[in-house]
C-alpha cells in the first residue's frame, strides 16, 4: 500500500476506482518533486566496459484511475493470447481483499491507459475480468484484457513486458516505472524480507529497496524492472511512511525468529517470478498447475 492508506481511499472516491493500500494517488505537486523518481541515473562506462543496459522506458506500462500497472506476459505466451495487466491486489476496483481472500475470474470492465516509451498515452485497454487478485502472502492483481498481445502490438507498436522466471537477487539495479505519474524511480534491491506485516495483511519474501526509491501514492502496482534484462521482477506496493510499527502505511519486517524491524522511509515490492507457474496455456490462470504456489480461494 504505497502511501497513504487513507489518502488512497479518498483518491478512490474522487476518481471512482479501487483504493491502493499505501500507494494510492496523492495530489500532484510537491510530493512528486521531492521524491526520487527522476529518470534513472546515468552511470559512467569505461571505454572497454560492457555496454550499459538499455534504459528502462514507459512502454508497456499503464495508468489506472488511482494506481499504476503494466501489460505483462510469460516467456512462452502466444501472440493470440488475451493480454494480462499486472497491478496490486489493493488496487482492484472491488476494494481491498481481506486476509485469506482470493479473487478469481471476477468480471471487470476496468480500463487502462497504455503508455508508449516517452510516457504518452496512446490508447485505452479494457479488461474482461480480474483473472486473479489477493493481498494474502503477496499483493497482486492480474486483469485479463479484451485485446490480445498481437492486437496491442499491431495497434500501438508496443510489446508486453516479460515476467522474469527466477527469484531476483540482492544488489540488482532496478527501475520502478509508474504509469500513473509517468515517472520512474531508480535504486537497487537491498534485500528480501521474510515477512512484511502491514495492518491486517502479511506478505512473504518481499523485496526491499535501497533508500533511493522513494515511491509515492499512485505508484502502487508499478512494475519493478531489472535494468539489465528489462524483465519484470516485482510489483511495487508499499512503504513505511512515519516510522510506526506494523500499522496501515507503516509495514514492519519480521524475521524467521520473530524479531521486528521498522525502517522508516523504506519502500517495498512483491516478487512476481512465483506467478509464472500459475499461468498456463492461453495465458489463463491455473492454480492447479505444477509449481504454482499462489494462494488459492
Amino acid at each position: 500500500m504505497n502511501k497513504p492508506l487513507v489518502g488512497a481511499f479518498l483518491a478512490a472516491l474522487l476518481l471512482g476506482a479501487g483504493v491502493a493500500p499505501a500507494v494510492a494517488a496523492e495530489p500532484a505537486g510537491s510530493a512528486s518533486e521531492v521524491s526520487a523518481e527522476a529518470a534513472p541515473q546515468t552511470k559512467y562506462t569505461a571505454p572497454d566496459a560492457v555496454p550499459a543496459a538499455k534504459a528502462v522506458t514507459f512502454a508497456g506500462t499503464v495508468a489506472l484511475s488511482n494506481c499504476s500497472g503494466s501489460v505483462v506476459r510469460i516467456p512462452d505466451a502466444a501472440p493470440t493470447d488475451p493480454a494480462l495487466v499486472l497491478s496490486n491486489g489493493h488496487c482492484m476496483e472491488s476494494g481491498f481483499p481481506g486476509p485469506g481472500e482470493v479473487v478469481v475470474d471476477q468480471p471487470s470492465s476496468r480500463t487502462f491507459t497504455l503508455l508508449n516509451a516517452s510516457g504518452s498515452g496512446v490508447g485505452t485497454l479494457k479488461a474482461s475480468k480480474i483473472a486473479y487478485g489477493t493481498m494474502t502472502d503477496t499483493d497482486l492483481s492480474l486483469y485479463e484484457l479484451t485485446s490480445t498481445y498481437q492486437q496491442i502490438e499491431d495497434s500501438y507498436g508496443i510489446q508486453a513486458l516479460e515476467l522474469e522466471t527466477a527469484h531476483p537477487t540482492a544488489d540488482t539495479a532496478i527501475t520502478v516505472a509508474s504509469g500513473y505519474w509517468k515517472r520512474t524511480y531508480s535504486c537497487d534491491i537491498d534485500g528480501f524480507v521474510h515477512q512484511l506485516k502491514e495492518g491486517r495483511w502479511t506478505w512473504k519474501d518481499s523485496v526491499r529497496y535501497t533508500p533511493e526509491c522513494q515511491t509515492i501514492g499512485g505508484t502502487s502496482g508499478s512494475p519493478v524492472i531489472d535494468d539489465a534484462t528489462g524483465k519484470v521482477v516485482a510489483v511495487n506496493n508499499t512503504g513505511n511512511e512515519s516510522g510506526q510499527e506494523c500499522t496501515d502505511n507503516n509495514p514492519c519486517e519480521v524475521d524467521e525468529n520473530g524479531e521486528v524491524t521498522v525502517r522508516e522511509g523504506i519502500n517495498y515490492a512483491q516478487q512476481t517470478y512465483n506467478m509464472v507457474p500459475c499461468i498456463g496455456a492461453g495465458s489463463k490462470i491455473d492454480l492447479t498447475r505444477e509449481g504454482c504456489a499462489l494462494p488459492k480461494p
Side-chain angles (χ1 to χ4, degrees), residues 21-35:
V23 187
E26 294 174 348
S30 60
S32 60
E33 269 88 60
V34 299
S35 69

Side-chain angles (χ1 to χ4, degrees), residues 210-271:
T210 52
E212 295 81 10
C213 279
Q214 289 294 305
T215 49
I216 62 172
T219 62
S220 282
S222 299
V224 180
I225 301 170
D226 183 322
D227 289 353
T229 65
K231 296 181 181 181
V232 176
V233 297
V235 57
N236 180 67
N237 82 307
T238 195
N240 187 290
E241 190 176 283
S242 59
Q244 296 180 37
E245 184 177 305
C246 311
T247 63
D248 290 343
N249 309 315
N250 292 282
C252 64
E253 300 182 12
V254 183
D255 69 15
E256 292 85 344
N257 300 314
E259 293 294 324
V260 175
T261 301
V262 174
R263 301 179 191 269
E264 183 175 359
I266 294 300
N267 295 287
Y268 302 89
Q270 302 306 308
Q271 298 186 54

